[in-house]
Amino acid sequence: MPEVTVYSRENCHLCDEALATIEAVAEEVAVAVEIEEIDVDDDPDLREEYGERVPYVLVDGTPKFKFRVDEAELRRTLEG
């Protein structure tokens, strides 16, 4: 099962868009997808590491997207 991790924060319209894209693609692909959202503002270390670079998206621990998620590329990645 692919795991998608989204580093985000509250009141972030790009984060909302990224999550909506990820959720839509996850519903369309033939594999189950685990989505974990992590609010960088809940952890001082993450806030320092990511700063304004959110959303930041990893698939199976590998960085894949920053700011915007490419729907077609995510689909290809998840379907492997």
Side-chain angles (χ1 to χ4, degrees), residues 12-25:
C12 168
H13 74 280
L14 290 177
C15 300
D16 295 339
E17 289 175 15
L19 278 168
T21 299
I22 293 164
E23 289 168 351
V25 171

Side-chain angles (χ1 to χ4, degrees), residues 30-70:
V31 296
V33 178
E34 181 179 337
I35 302 170
E36 178 183 17
E37 182 180 8
I38 299 173
D39 187 330
V40 298
D41 293 326
D42 288 344
D43 181 321
D45 292 333
L46 290 177
R47 184 175 37 244
E48 182 176 326
E49 181 177 348
Y50 290 97
E52 297 300 316
R53 293 182 308 131
V54 292
Y56 198 78
V57 180
L58 287 70
V59 177
D60 292 331
T62 301
K64 291 292 181 181
F65 306 99
K66 182 170 55 173
F67 303 124
R68 300 202 183 272
V69 175
D70 181 289

